[in-house]
Amino acid sequence: MKKIYANATEALDGLLRDDMLIAAGGFGLCGIPELLLEAIKDSGVKNLTFASNNAGVDDFGIGILLQTGQVSKMMSSYVGENDEFMRQYLSGELEIEFNPQGTLAERMRAGGCGIPGFYTKTGVGTQVAEGKEHKDFNGETYIMEEGIFADLSIVKAWKADETGNCIFRKTARNFNPPAAMCGKVCVMEVEEIVPVGTLDPDHIHLPGIYVHRLIQGEHEKRIEQRTVRQKEGA
Amino acid sequence: MPWDRNQMAERAAQELEDGMYVNLGIGIPTLVANYVGDKDITLQSENGMLGMGPFPFEGEEDPDLINAGKQTITEMDRTAYFDSAQSFGMIRGGKIAAAILGAMEVAENGDLANWMIPGKLVKGMGGAMDLVAGVGRVIVVMDHTNKHGVSKLLKECTLPLTGAGVVDRIITNLGVLDVVEGGLKIVETAPDVSEDDLRAATEATLV
């Protein structure tokens, strides 16, 4: 059971094809699998559908695959920071399915847990509910949402051991665990691979059972909105 | 004198009680954090954090630590991190006591519209639909009228909804109103704003 690969291209070897559904972790540019996205761009696969909370910015994150025209559909909750995305969306080249953020996260989690559908009150009475099954529980109305079963998951963690047990850092965890869980195959990139036994078993955020292939690499980790405060008296 | 942005935020902070876990939206709601005083309030950021601290000092920004507006922030002693599914689990599950958020329109039955304008660029609802459907109390902070002087408190929303019948209380520059049976009820008015002033600026039924 060798999970460690030399780089992103090798880790994705044999997994990529046109028309596939890829679940990607990250929130904004925080905790995105930047190395794997770069390798997907280089592979040239196209007509991809991404389940991902956001679509990156023009030159980083999923944005780099929009520039090359490799994405045909996004399942996202918010896509505001990307000019090329908006151009393709308005011209009809790109389809978007807006999901409430928590519904998207739960759809991934559910898919990873073998749950094909679940009921939520999020979106009841809104456009999101149109065409979906409604059902009342204890006098309240809920809509059915479907689990996401992705062909491939691409995620980013902070540290993993050689078996893929991993930990995330701060808010870079975000969509990475649910995205990792919902794919038939999950490829993870980390900042550091450590020997088994190094991580405290009680502190593992995502067990290695969800991680099939693993790479270590240098990450740019770009900041989208740099906000600071002044020191007192400064 | 109607309230300004900071005074609206200060008034909204009075809604918060010691021990509450609260989610603040973008804009004026973010300013509410400046007015909680000695109250023990834990702020949730829906990208996966409880115990959100202030912006970092220059040079201390961490790309792994942002809020739901993608701004760099800091952690506190009490901070806990979790993934997006758990974050919205606690929102949907009613564990968050209150959300304070902005709006484009609120209707007298508590309908809320704040995510899209047909014909204009649609960027997505983010976590707003989950928040308004799930949290214990939804408090809207917004200007009473739009820039053309038209009431934003309506009999019915004209824009696509973020949530149906979800709003509990509205704090505007003119006063505070509650969503009650049959319409909106004036709770208080801003200093030197009369109930007649507020009525004149409101399309929704006032009871």
Side-chain angles (χ1 to χ4, degrees):
Chain A
M1 185 189 64
K2 182 191 160 298
K3 292 187 178 179
I4 301 171
Y5 288 72
N7 54 55
T9 301
E10 287 186 24
L12 290 168
D13 185 46
L15 300 181
L16 297 175
R17 56 173 174 75
D18 291 351
D19 309 308
M20 72 191 305
L21 168 59
I22 302 176
F27 181 93
L29 302 181
C30 181
I32 59 172
E34 52 184 90
L35 306 175
L36 292 162
L37 287 168
E38 195 67 44
I40 290 172
K41 181 186 135 186
D42 293 343
S43 79
V45 285
K46 57 185 191 301
N47 210 24
L48 301 172
T49 296
F50 269 92
S52 169
N53 189 54
N54 312 96
V57 293
D58 280 324
D59 64 342
F60 200 58
I62 290 174
I64 62 172
L65 301 175
L66 293 163
Q67 286 191 336
T68 52
Q70 289 169 267
V71 183
S72 58
K73 180 179 174 182
M74 293 293 308
M75 301 161 73
S76 307
S77 86
Y78 191 83
V79 294
E81 338 289 350
N82 194 316
D83 293 336
E84 177 61 15
F85 182 98
M86 282 301 167
R87 192 197 65 71
Q88 292 183 21
Y89 173 42
L90 293 172
S91 71
E93 294 164 56
L94 184 66
E95 184 188 343
I96 174 144
E97 176 193 300
F98 280 119
N99 285 246
Q101 194 173 141
T103 295
L104 182 64
E106 189 64 15
R107 289 184 65 192
M108 290 181 183
R109 196 196 72 84
C113 296
I115 298 171
F118 60 91
Y119 293 94
T120 176
K121 59 186 172 183
T122 300
V124 170
T126 76
Q127 286 183 2
V128 163
E130 287 170 15
K132 289 176 183 161
E133 184 199 329
H134 287 59
K135 192 174 164 94
D136 286 2
F137 296 87
N138 301 317
E140 218 174 331
T141 303
Y142 295 76
I143 54 173
M144 195 187 74
E145 295 280 0
E146 295 185 7
I148 291 173
F149 300 87
D151 299 307
L152 171 68
S153 300
I154 56 168
V155 296
K156 191 255 171 189
W158 181 35
K159 290 182 184 181
D161 72 18
E162 295 147 324
T163 71
N165 292 322
C166 66
I167 54 177
F168 300 89
R169 187 169 174 275
K170 302 185 188 289
T171 57
R173 192 180 323 183
N174 57 58
F175 274 83
N176 282 294
M181 291 163 68
C182 76
K184 286 194 195 91
V185 182
C186 172
V187 183
M188 174 179 280
E189 59 183 66
V190 297
E191 294 174 48
E192 187 182 1
I193 296 173
V194 298
V196 286
T198 312
L199 301 176
D200 184 338
D202 271 329
H203 291 174
I204 301 296
H205 294 146
L206 184 74
I209 190 169
Y210 295 107
V211 181
H212 303 98
R213 299 186 181 188
L214 189 59
I215 58 161
Q216 172 182 312
E218 291 291 320
H219 288 79
E220 177 185 336
K221 300 213 284 185
R222 194 182 294 185
I223 291 176
E224 198 163 335
Q225 305 274 351
R226 190 178 296 273
T227 45
V228 297
R229 73 188 138 131
Q230 299 305 313
K231 287 205 162 116
E232 303 273 327
Chain B
M1 275 274 284
W3 285 317
D4 65 20
R5 287 165 58 87
N6 284 300
Q7 289 165 326
M8 287 160 72
E10 187 172 8
R11 177 60 189 82
Q14 291 174 22
E15 301 294 320
L16 304 181
E17 292 164 25
D18 216 42
M20 273 188 172
Y21 291 87
V22 177
N23 185 293
L24 301 179
I26 293 167
I28 299 175
T30 304
L31 302 174
V32 174
N34 299 335
Y35 299 101
V36 296
D38 293 336
K39 282 184 279 198
D40 187 31
I41 303 295
T42 304
L43 298 179
Q44 198 231 23
S45 189
E46 66 265 26
N47 54 318
M49 177 185 202
L50 277 167
M52 177 167 54
F55 293 147
F57 294 120
E58 191 158 3
E60 295 175 6
E61 309 93 313
D62 184 339
D64 289 337
L65 183 46
I66 63 170
N67 64 18
K70 286 128 190 168
Q71 298 170 312
T72 46
I73 49 163
T74 54
E75 64 185 19
M76 306 167 78
D77 288 344
R78 70 174 59 177
T79 296
Y81 299 109
F82 33 84
D83 69 57
S84 299
Q86 183 166 20
S87 181
F88 283 92
M90 68 182 70
I91 289 168
R92 201 185 301 103
K95 314 301 178 188
I96 302 292
I100 301 180
L101 67 171
M104 300 176 193
E105 295 177 347
V106 177
E108 62 191 40
N109 63 355
D111 287 359
L112 168 73
N114 73 353
W115 82 280
M116 76 170 286
I117 301 173
K120 290 206 175 174
L121 222 49
V122 182
K123 295 182 170 184
M125 70 289 281
M129 285 191 182
D130 311 274
L131 280 160
V132 299
V135 302
R137 192 167 158 75
V138 174
I139 300 159
V140 166
V141 182
M142 65 175 189
D143 282 328
H144 207 94
T145 56
N146 67 20
K147 61 186 173 213
H148 305 294
V150 178
S151 177
K152 294 170 70 172
L153 286 70
L154 305 172
K155 293 191 187 303
E156 274 181 46
C157 288
T158 63
L159 298 170
L161 297 186
T162 308
V166 293
V167 176
D168 295 289
R169 176 165 280 196
I170 309 149
I171 297 169
T172 76
N173 51 324
L174 300 185
V176 180
L177 303 96
D178 276 349
V179 178
V180 297
E181 193 67 38
L184 304 181
K185 185 174 186 302
I186 299 172
V187 176
E188 66 182 84
T189 56
D192 300 324
V193 174
S194 70
E195 288 208 4
D196 284 344
D197 294 336
L198 197 148
R199 282 175 192 281
T202 307
E203 184 204 289
T205 307
L206 293 172
V207 297

